[in-house]
Amino acid sequence: MKRLCLTVIGLYLMLLHAFSQSAPADTASFKPRKLKLDEINFVSSYYTQNGDHSAIQGGIGSEKVTDLANGIELKFIAYDPLRRKNTLTAGIGLDHHTAASQAWVSKTGASRTGGTRIYPSLQWERENEQKGTRFGLGASYSSEYNYHSIGLQTDLGLKTKHNGEFGLKLSAYFDQVKLIRPSEFNTTDTITNTSGGTTSYTTASGRTVTLSAGGTYVSDGETSIPSSPRNTYTASLSFNQIINTRLQGALLLDVVAQNGYLGLPFHRVYFKDGADSVENLPSTRFKLPVGLRLNYFLGDRVVLRSYYRFYTDDWGIRSHTASLEVPIKLTPFFSISPFYRYYTQTPSKYFAPYETHTESQTYYTSNYALAAFSSQFFGADIRLSPPDGIAHTHLATLELRYGHYTQSTDLVSDVISLNLTFK
Amino acid sequence: MYRLQISLTALLFAAGACTPVKEYQKNRLNDSEMSLSSRKVEKNEANFQSYREGSSGANGGKTGGGCGCN
């Protein structure tokens, strides 16, 4: 009996050896690879919006906006002598918008209604595939006529032995908001001190000047408009986990602290008595969003991409976001993905509609982004990604996406985006 | 807040119940549609949502910078 058992075990081991994949000797010597262009991504979007709760007019008036955004991103990859993968990503984006409400920064509706934003970025990441670790550094810049932003970030990643990965990203944004105020607050451009002593005055641009007796200040145009800082610090923690051969998920937590000028200087507020002012918001804000993403491969052709986020902050907003996207793979390289997103939020304690605030309040705004509302966003995404390129060219992926957005505040918008990936 | 704590605890237990998955069993998980990050084509959608709504973050995207003035 013992001999029989040993024979069966021996046969089993022989079979196992016969079907097992023996590791071939690594004869190919590893050669470091110099930095080489791996991928080019082009993303273009057209956004259009309409509504009647413009923050510039204190919660009334047209919110008509159009925005054309174009961005290009170049991804370079190199392997160093220690077999670490180095990825360098350089990108630049250019947006042009028109906004009907912007005309009303001037009381007469004569302000310019368009603007351009440019935003370059650079990111480097080193990944040690053997150890399952990664480390990255990044910098970004964004500039438009009334707003400048410098962003810095670093991120770390560590894979676990059980198909999981911890991630930590620290980022900081140092912004400057130009204090362009509604024109009715630009009382004069020339100030003369006739009071006989030293006196401080607020200029048309919001600058404070101190004039001695008989002194005169003359505004030197838009260049003299002062700016105010706004800083944002974020720690983003993530944990990705493969749960089984069809299901994987990610838990995401951001801790966000902001300080500085957190309103916008041209957002009006009309009080109950009809007087107007500029929104006034606290100089600090703490945000805590927690998200969960779960993706499930159903059968051979359908993927369920689900996402839920809970958000809370110290301005009184609490929100829930839930979304589901269902990519249907018509072929292994062509998919159509309908999606739906539902969002609901409570109001900020500083929000009230047009002519509702009282002047005795310390903080006030009529910006409807801080109101109570719910929104729905739905649409579809088409993705084509054949293994040897579209029509055998370097164009590896073509993705077209359309979404329609409605808010219970009557804001309606549409966005269409195109992503082309060249390899 | 209690609900959040309960959900996180449940999630930790669920993570402990994961099935071991070998490299050769990851063909579905490695499909581009299964990616746990947002798609590149969604970038501008995330931008306008963060400006039109009072909350943002926990989606792997940026959480600051830019004006959204209009």
Side-chain angles (χ1 to χ4, degrees):
Chain A
M1 186 67 187
K2 203 184 279 180
R3 214 182 297 167
L4 183 67
C5 285
L6 286 171
T7 312
V8 170
I9 291 168
L11 271 170
Y12 174 74
L13 287 173
M14 275 173 67
L15 275 171
L16 200 68
H17 182 256
F19 285 96
S20 66
Q21 295 174 5
S22 54
D26 189 8
T27 49
S29 59
F30 173 80
K31 282 182 187 164
R33 200 180 89 179
K34 284 187 181 172
L35 206 61
K36 194 179 158 189
L37 182 62
D38 183 68
E39 192 177 293
I40 301 173
N41 268 291
F42 175 75
V43 180
S44 184
S45 288
Y46 181 70
Y47 173 78
T48 174
Q49 165 195 299
N50 215 340
D52 53 9
H53 292 294
S54 159
I56 291 175
Q57 291 175 271
I60 54 168
S62 171
E63 290 180 273
K64 195 166 185 172
V65 167
T66 63
D67 185 80
L68 178 65
N70 293 298
I72 188 165
E73 192 182 87
L74 307 175
K75 195 170 157 186
F76 298 88
I77 291 181
Y79 282 89
D80 64 20
L82 296 173
R83 299 190 179 203
R84 292 175 302 192
K85 183 182 178 185
N86 290 275
T87 308
L88 184 71
T89 310
I92 189 160
L94 190 74
D95 298 0
H96 181 77
H97 74 264
T98 61
S101 62
Q102 211 175 295
W104 296 96
V105 171
S106 151
K107 190 79 177 171
T108 57
S111 292
R112 63 178 181 179
T113 55
T116 302
R117 179 168 82 101
I118 186 163
Y119 44 103
S121 65
L122 191 66
Q123 194 169 13
W124 166 77
E125 188 181 80
R126 171 172 282 173
E127 186 181 0
N128 189 324
E129 288 168 345
Q130 275 108 29
K131 287 185 181 171
T133 56
R134 63 179 166 80
F135 171 71
L137 292 169
S140 60
Y141 178 68
S142 171
S143 173
E144 52 194 304
Y145 80 102
N146 65 333
Y147 203 93
H148 298 272
S149 173
I150 293 172
L152 299 171
Q153 59 168 266
T154 181
D155 65 284
L156 300 161
L158 174 67
K159 285 186 178 160
T160 68
K161 288 177 184 170
H162 306 288
N163 287 318
E165 184 177 0
F166 287 102
L168 170 66
K169 186 163 94 174
L170 301 173
S171 56
Y173 289 93
F174 305 99
D175 301 354
Q176 288 288 330
V177 187
K178 208 173 201 180
L179 296 175
I180 297 168
R181 304 193 308 162
S183 65
E184 65 268 34
F185 299 104
N186 296 346
T187 48
T188 177
D189 283 318
T190 306
I191 306 166
T192 304
N193 183 356
T194 53
S195 68
T198 302
T199 313
S200 291
Y201 296 91
T202 301
T203 69
S205 61
R207 179 186 287 256
T208 302
V209 291
T210 304
L211 299 174
S212 54
T216 299
Y217 166 83
V218 180
S219 168
D220 56 353
E222 201 174 89
T223 52
S224 67
I225 297 174
S227 292
S228 191
R230 173 188 298 178
N231 303 322
T232 306
Y233 306 97
T234 307
S236 304
L237 294 155
S238 64
F239 177 61
N240 296 357
Q241 178 66 51
I242 291 174
I243 297 160
N244 59 42
T245 56
R246 289 177 178 272
L247 178 65
Q248 59 187 352
L251 185 63
L252 306 140
L253 169 71
D254 287 352
V255 181
V256 186
Q258 286 187 300
N259 63 50
Y261 189 86
L262 302 183
L264 282 170
F266 44 80
H267 281 180
R268 288 184 182 85
V269 168
Y270 287 91
F271 295 109
K272 259 183 186 169
D273 61 6
D276 73 329
S277 183
V278 173
E279 73 176 359
N280 190 31
L281 290 165
S283 59
T284 60
R285 190 175 184 186
F286 180 77
K287 306 176 183 181
L288 191 70
V290 187
L292 175 67
R293 202 180 280 280
L294 278 175
N295 292 350
Y296 183 69
F297 211 117
L298 183 71
D300 290 327
R301 288 178 181 271
V302 179
V303 176
L304 304 176
R305 290 169 62 87
S306 63
Y307 175 71
Y308 169 75
R309 177 182 69 192
F310 170 75
Y311 169 96
T312 183
D313 68 26
D314 61 353
W315 285 11
I317 293 178
R318 276 192 170 202
S319 75
H320 299 274
T321 310
S323 71
L324 180 68
E325 183 166 348
V326 186
I328 301 160
K329 296 173 84 71
L330 299 177
T331 76
F333 316 111
F334 178 59
S335 58
I336 294 179
S337 315
F339 62 85
Y340 176 76
R341 174 184 184 269
Y342 180 77
Y343 173 86
T344 180
Q345 76 174 41
T346 59
S348 162
K349 52 192 169 191
Y350 310 121
F351 172 83
Y354 178 74
E355 289 192 344
T356 309
H357 281 294
T358 56
E359 288 183 71
S360 60
Q361 289 174 275
T362 310
Y363 299 115
Y364 36 80
T365 180
S366 294
N367 178 0
Y368 272 70
L370 303 177
F373 64 84
S374 61
S375 72
Q376 299 188 69
F377 183 55
F378 56 88
D381 184 296
I382 296 170
R383 191 167 194 273
L384 182 63
S385 169
D388 49 355
I390 294 165
H392 304 284
T393 63
H394 288 288
L395 178 59
T397 305
L398 185 153
E399 196 166 1
L400 188 66
R401 188 174 170 96
Y402 167 75
H404 178 72
Y405 179 84
T406 55
Q407 220 177 62
S408 55
T409 62
D410 296 333
L411 181 98
V412 177
S413 71
D414 295 274
V415 58
I416 185 161
S417 302
L418 173 73
N419 174 211
L420 301 175
T421 302
F422 295 88
K423 276 191 179 276
Chain B
M1 202 62 193
Y2 282 119
R3 241 183 292 170
L4 181 68
Q5 284 168 352
I6 291 165
S7 309
L8 289 175
T9 313
L11 201 80
L12 283 174
F13 276 109
C18 298
T19 317
V21 179
K22 306 281 184 203
E23 282 305 314
Y24 63 85
Q25 295 175 309
K26 289 183 182 173
N27 60 328
R28 287 190 178 89
L29 299 170
N30 290 336
D31 191 284
S32 54
E33 301 290 3
M34 285 289 282
S35 167
L36 287 169
S37 52
S38 298
R39 303 157 187 269
K40 283 196 191 303
V41 76
E42 291 177 68
K43 187 182 164 189
N44 293 314
E45 283 175 14
N47 261 355
F48 94 74
Q49 283 162 0
S50 68
Y51 296 139
R52 298 294 164 254
E53 297 172 348
S55 54
S56 60
N59 56 9
K62 67 181 228 175
T63 46
C67 178
C69 303
N70 310 294

